[in-house]
Amino acid sequence: MPRMTMIEAIRDAMDVSMGRDDNVVVFGEDVGYFGGVFRCTAGLQQKYGTSRCFDAPISELGIVGTAIGMAAYGLRPCVEVQFADYVYPAYDQIVSEAARIRYRSAGQFTCPIVIRMPTGGGIFGGQTHSQSPEALFTHVSGLKVVVPSNPQDAKGLLISAIEDPDPVIFLEPKRLYNGPFDGHHDRPVTPWSKHELGDVAADHVTVPLGKAVTRREGSAVTILAYGTMVHVALAAAEDTGIDAEVIDLRTLVPLDLDAIVASVKKTGRCVVVHEATMTSGFGAELVSLVQEHCFYHLEAPVARVAGWDTPYPHAQEWDYFPGPARVGEALRVVMEA
Amino acid sequence: MPRMTMIEAIRDAMDVSMGRDDNVVVFGEDVGYFGGVFRCTAGLQQKYGTSRCFDAPISELGIVGTAIGMAAYGLRPCVEVQFADYVYPAYDQIVSEAARIRYRSAGQFTCPIVIRMPTGGGIFGGQTHSQSPEALFTHVSGLKVVVPSNPQDAKGLLISAIEDPDPVIFLEPKRLYNGPFDGHHDRPVTPWSKHELGDVAADHVTVPLGKAVTRREGSAVTILAYGTMVHVALAAAEDTGIDAEVIDLRTLVPLDLDAIVASVKKTGRCVVVHEATMTSGFGAELVSLVQEHCFYHLEAPVARVAGWDTPYPHAQEWDYFPGPARVGEALRVVMEA
Amino acid sequence: MVETRKGGLFVPEPEVRPGGQPDFSNVKIPRAGTVERPPVDVDPRDIRDMAYSIIRVLNRDGEAVGPWAGTLSDDELLEGLKHMMTLRAFDARMQTAQRQGKTSFYMQHMGEEAVSCAFRRAMEPGDMNFPTYRQAGLLIAGGYPMVDMMNQIYSNEADPLKGRQLPIMYSSKEHGFFSISGNLGTQFVQAVGWAMASAIKSDDRIAAGWIGDGSTAESDFHAALVFASTYRAPVVLNIVNNQWAISTFQGIARGGSGTFAARGLGFGLPSLRVDGNDYLAVHAVGKWAVERARMGLGATLVEYVTYRVGAHSTSDDPSAYRPKTESDNWPLGDPVIRLKNHLITRGAWSEERHKQSEAEVMDSVIVAQKEAEKHGTLHAGGRPSARDMFEGVYAEMPPHLRRQRQQAGV
Amino acid sequence: MVETRKGGLFVPEPEVRPGGQPDFSNVKIPRAGTVERPPVDVDPRDIRDMAYSIIRVLNRDGEAVGPWAGTLSDDELLEGLKHMMTLRAFDARMQTAQRQGKTSFYMQHMGEEAVSCAFRRAMEPGDMNFPTYRQAGLLIAGGYPMVDMMNQIYSNEADPLKGRQLPIMYSSKEHGFFSISGNLGTQFVQAVGWAMASAIKSDDRIAAGWIGDGSTAESDFHAALVFASTYRAPVVLNIVNNQWAISTFQGIARGGSGTFAARGLGFGLPSLRVDGNDYLAVHAVGKWAVERARMGLGATLVEYVTYRVGAHSTSDDPSAYRPKTESDNWPLGDPVIRLKNHLITRGAWSEERHKQSEAEVMDSVIVAQKEAEKHGTLHAGGRPSARDMFEGVYAEMPPHLRRQRQQAGV
Ligand SMILES: Cc1ncc(C[n+]2csc(CCOP(=O)(O)OP(=O)(O)O)c2C)c(N)n1
Ligand SMILES: Cc1ncc(C[n+]2csc(CCOP(=O)(O)OP(=O)(O)O)c2C)c(N)n1
Ligand SMILES: [Mg+2]
Ligand SMILES: [Mg+2]
């Protein structure tokens, strides 16, 4: 198996999909000739031509709006929004249109589109290159929401997303593009080439939407995480020596509730972590479900560790980022409760 | 005290504010000459002239975007979005701009705007005249979110919102405009003129943002609700005979956590209700906070009653609406747990 | 010279308000037949002035004149007349049905029937419309069964959309009619995407987008023009300027611009204006634009100048914001009467046959209505199931929706 | 005649890509002094052709010619030259500082200095700009202290924005410079709102909105034009067409339109194009548009034709998508050199004094930089507190943020 970075894995997923299905088209800002500001689409235009991979005007509304029209025609557009922070101009098209076309037309028209976007902080991007807006999509019926944490999953999940008959929001933690970042920003970064999850199968391979995976087995407490925070959670378990079970959700909608409930019933404790702001974040949904389904097994309140309820600041990046120290602290509190 | 409908109370709040402060301006689609499709701004243009109350082009983005510019100038715009379902074209301006201008400019520029919009179902409005998008705003740091449940509050809260130095999302449950709807759609509707909360003080009166109120004292279980669901909750308590304490949150951000915690610690049980879709709704945040702060007082899992995770259907309106029967059922389950 | 203004905000106002005398003297109407008909491969730069004129075919005497005349035969025109009459009768019945409580909501087309009915004729099977709520003529003229439209309006057990959608938010893939959104504007850019897809596949099917005058202010309008012009998408972009957006007159959306069609000039698109109450003109212009698109020449922007005679919807009462008699003064007349007179002038029709036809059309609508009502109306008789509410959110029902459906006991 | 196209999607491509010979022969450059200067109260309909030309003042010989010349004195021009030189030196130092790790990010103005520096001179105290990230010249020319700009760039303890904002996202209410947003386009429509407010208050202050060529595709651009034209807002709407949007050439945003200025025609706005590398022309056009706004005549759309010589930002490497020597071939030259030559021609300047001035300007930038670095750089020395992170989200800190701040222990 070739070792790939997350960028290469994502590119490979699109490449494989475009190769297998003529209806897959890829476009977005700087996506065509240049291959994307993060290089995720590099080479695709050369390989598949300008009709299948092209540059778009700077209109996220137009990108998603035309993708919806293409999907209604029968294509499978996989579009890029340059940063998740810039998805809001397209929000109406996503919420009012993509998410509801199947429903309102009773299945006459469908919307198999994928909207890829880099999320999360850790690159000193300030308030407009750091956001994690997943909760703004998980609340919208009709959308699926996916967040990979490593190259292997990124490829398999993206191919599944492209093949999915419904619209999928595909959030790519940009701090993971080149290596598994665990929040220890002061330590040297390991590249994916040194990590087993950088092993990515060639050709067509899928990871099903809606299935979580256990990244670390443990008996003391369950950590629910996705994206970058999976690595932070693993680091926190390591750092504290607390025998945490770390579940990588991979897909937020549909959610693998069974995996969550089984783990929390086993450990009796739970910490939910995400990088997005706390209030009304997806963590709130997770906490609600855990307390609903595991109430009688819980030995402590479920704790949330998340971004503070402020815009993502520039200089105070590491004060904001919910790193292993904060997760570790939450683990201790939950264990001592 | 004159009796007013919620529409009259809202209009009166704007009238009083415009009368006291020249900087208050009101605009939106059909808001000027005609006075709004729900008549909330009727008469204001005649009284204050076309510079202070006027019709806007059908561009929610433009309405909110220009309001932000006006606020930066020093005005206090109070704008209407015709239905909350149509706020998404303005979402970027609200999330990326209004919510963050004070923060990112370190207070040099501020954004004292109010964005009013009718929310909720119950009028056979189908998927595009029924939504309750509060959770899409409560997740955004920098916004305040208000939901009145009666004319008295509507006036006092709207005046507070207009006077607030920060952007306020003001959600008006349209099913309450003319009377206190309790979800018994098959029973005759009482008008506000027959309800004590239809008593609205004349002139300047405020209800502070961030303060909940107990609508019904009870000892068995706490119901957390806002907007239309306050009346549904009261009906459910009545119908089931369960001695529920009903808390009307009034403001979702900032939230009156103290009131919530005090009540749940007293009753030991909690049901959270809202009309918006369940997953990642604001109810999830409430459940999370309750279990975090009241864990050792809880005798049963906190239950959520909410809209189903589907678009709001037309014909199946009453199957969708979380009426008193569903809230009552949740009360019973929580009591028996 | 432009007037300077000091003291307050400039807010455009219509010429008249209730109580005033209707006045359309500011609407410049060129004589029928006077506007040139360029070849479809014209350089858009050479026809910029067409964005400020109005293409008209039917003159006051009911004759078809000028270079845009002659696209339709007698039989075709007679059928067109029938389509418009059917739409009008359909509207009348459904408007009443709503008043009777058989459904929650209705929107009529009175005065605008020519636009959608005639445009539909310019399209081919396989083409796709992205309509607003005021183009039911596309369905009627396309042969979509009225009873299915009514079933949708009634949200009854036979509703093809299973009760999920607000009345009149039809959808028919088979009839080239994309699912209507209640959100204004959104579909204009989707039409462009559909057309781009057709180009990507080297297909020759084309798309048509539809938008109202008021809704051109929405962002989707801009995105549609940007993408359509950049990628030369095979799409016809139709603006129906019926002078009103609920209570707001067209001057608020149009601002300082001369016309809505002129919005296309900044994108290098051929931008035409047409008499929207002239069935022949609408068809001729539609055909021209469709041909351009089909030949790979790119998008055309068309403004249909018409008038919304009725209320915006059953929730609206226009007497609050415009003179009651304003529609009588509308200088472009009534599309049904104009086509009727033309056919009579042509010797293909008579007042008598028209009367008779009116009765027949109404009968056919009533027959359809009876049939539909057998399947129920909104609050009585057969209705879609609560189970339908949970279906179709996704292709496959995810676990959380299964749990909710179970909880709902359906 | 327009070419028909079959087989695939039409996707505009720039004339040349890396490896090719730069070629600007398609950019039509009118001779300096040839474009008329209409009175400010001209009827916009009478000057539509100005959207397709380019107003230029400085000719090849460094002379100021034509009706737009003569708005500035020698002293003013000398000061203008200094502003541009300062901005260029500032850019050079900050670019290097970023490479040295003293900050995370920087964006330079190379080649576009005249646009913001000259426009600033056309404004009055009290007016308000809604800039993008490439108009720091508005601050430099407005006398905002460089050291404050650097403090912001370094996110240090003296950063007026408390470390919260990405470098160069300045804000200075006092200097008429609205807080920059990282989101493209959003502020264009806010400028219109600010101007509407000024009109509402019968104030005579005006606003200026700024947007890049690529960003005109965003929805806010459309909303700005709709509202500005409808309410005749006292605003100048500036499009900086520097030919590139990161890796995307201007043809993608422009689509089939002749120019970006032409987008204003559909809104009935006076729409001008100006040589953005000609300090005198920019100033003259800016003054004209500002005057129109101030007199209550409404909005003007101005396209500045210029070229982004440097990389998009410190995260970008343009050699991947355009020929390295493309900027050398840009037909409008370098704004600093052109103004320098003009002043020499005028007898007000010399090569020698220019050299000397360059050194002085660089010294002043270095002095400011030393001063700023005393307060720290992004990763070293004084920094804003974590406490600052929690402040200012709201005027008053709500309970949940107080709890979080407490939890963070700050
Ligand atoms: C995004 C959005 N904003 C507002 C509305 C409410 N609304 C429905 S129809 C309408 C007027 C539309 O006018 P126009 O585009 O001229 O179309 P017409 O009704 O005249 O055919 C408005 C404001 C909506 N449906 N969607
Ligand atoms: C809404 C939004 N979408 C995308 C981006 C990413 N982005 C930053 S700058 C840029 C290019 C802008 O080009 P242009 O408007 O021509 O301005 P220029 O950089 O040339 O001055 C892009 C796509 C953004 N900042 N905001
Ligand atoms: Mg209209
Ligand atoms: Mg540019």
Side-chain angles (χ1 to χ4, degrees), chain D residues 112 133-134 212-215 240-246 248 250 308 312:
Chain D
E112 304 176 39
Y133 44 72
R134 230 184 283 283
D213 49 303
S215 307
V240 183
N241 176 5
N242 63 4
Q243 312 302 319
W244 290 93
I246 309 185
T248 306
Q250 45 87 24
R308 192 196 81 208
H312 170 72

Side-chain angles (χ1 to χ4, degrees), chain A residues 87-275:
Chain A
V87 72
Y88 308 119
Y91 198 62
D92 186 38
Q93 284 286 343
I94 297 171
V95 171
S96 307
E97 299 291 324
R100 283 192 252 137
I101 282 171
R102 173 189 295 280
Y103 191 76
R104 70 178 201 227
S105 73
Q108 287 174 11
F109 297 96
T110 60
C111 193
I113 68 175
V114 178
I115 307 177
R116 296 176 40 240
M117 52 189 121
T119 60
I123 62 156
F124 278 93
Q127 23 193 308
T128 55
H129 303 87
S130 306
Q131 292 165 45
S132 297
E134 64 273 10
L136 304 175
F137 298 109
T138 54
H139 187 46
V140 179
S141 312
L143 301 178
K144 295 185 178 177
V145 181
V146 176
V147 192
S149 70
N150 61 77
Q152 226 175 61
D153 278 2
K155 178 169 175 185
L157 288 167
L158 183 51
I159 293 180
S160 292
I162 292 172
E163 294 175 355
D164 196 89
D166 288 306
V168 180
I169 306 295
F170 196 85
L171 304 166
E172 303 170 1
K174 66 178 88 68
R175 194 52 163 93
L176 299 182
Y177 272 152
N178 293 305
F181 179 67
D182 68 2
H184 283 298
H185 56 90
D186 40 3
R187 299 191 193 156
V189 178
T190 23
W192 281 116
S193 57
K194 297 254 162 61
H195 194 289
E196 57 173 357
L197 291 171
D199 278 341
V200 179
D203 302 322
H204 187 259
V205 55
T206 59
V207 170
L209 305 190
K211 286 271 162 271
V213 65
T214 305
R215 291 290 171 209
R216 181 189 193 285
E217 303 224 348
S219 57
V221 48
T222 300
I223 310 183
L224 302 179
Y226 48 93
T228 311
M229 299 311 288
V230 171
H231 304 278
V232 173
L234 291 169
E238 224 49 52
D239 295 354
T240 55
I242 292 172
D243 187 26
E245 179 142 304
V246 176
I247 297 190
D248 179 351
L249 296 174
R250 299 202 286 201
T251 310
L252 309 190
V253 178
L255 185 70
D256 192 347
L257 184 61
D258 293 344
I260 294 169
V261 170
S263 176
V264 178
K265 284 195 174 162
K266 180 177 81 176
T267 61
R269 297 170 202 265
C270 182
V271 172
V272 171
V273 295
H274 58 65
E275 197 180 338

Side-chain angles (χ1 to χ4, degrees), chain C residues 24 77 99 105 109 120 123 158-159 205 233 265 299 352 360:
Chain C
F24 286 111
L77 287 174
R99 296 279 177 245
F105 181 78
H109 303 74
R120 180 63 182 77
M123 299 183 88
D159 174 5
R205 291 183 290 156
L265 299 181
E352 217 164 62
E360 285 166 15

Side-chain angles (χ1 to χ4, degrees), chain D residues 50 104 125 173 302 369-370 410:
Chain D
M50 293 187 80
S104 56
K173 188 171 193 173
V302 184
Q369 189 177 5
K370 286 217 172 105
V410 296

Side-chain angles (χ1 to χ4, degrees), chain D residues 27-85:
Chain D
V27 185
K28 301 233 166 1
I29 314 283
R31 291 232 317 283
T34 55
V35 178
E36 57 156 349
R37 183 185 188 288
V40 291
D41 60 353
V42 65
D43 185 329
R45 285 174 292 188
D46 296 337
I47 56 164
R48 285 195 192 127
D49 54 336
M50 293 187 80
Y52 300 97
S53 191
I54 302 182
I55 297 167
R56 307 180 65 224
V57 170
L58 292 174
N59 70 12
R60 283 195 203 175
D61 301 327
E63 295 154 346
V65 294
W68 295 89
T71 55
L72 292 165
S73 70
D74 279 6
D75 280 356
E76 287 170 329
L77 287 173
L78 283 169
E79 204 187 27
L81 181 64
K82 195 176 153 199
H83 292 153
M84 291 200 287
M85 291 167 72

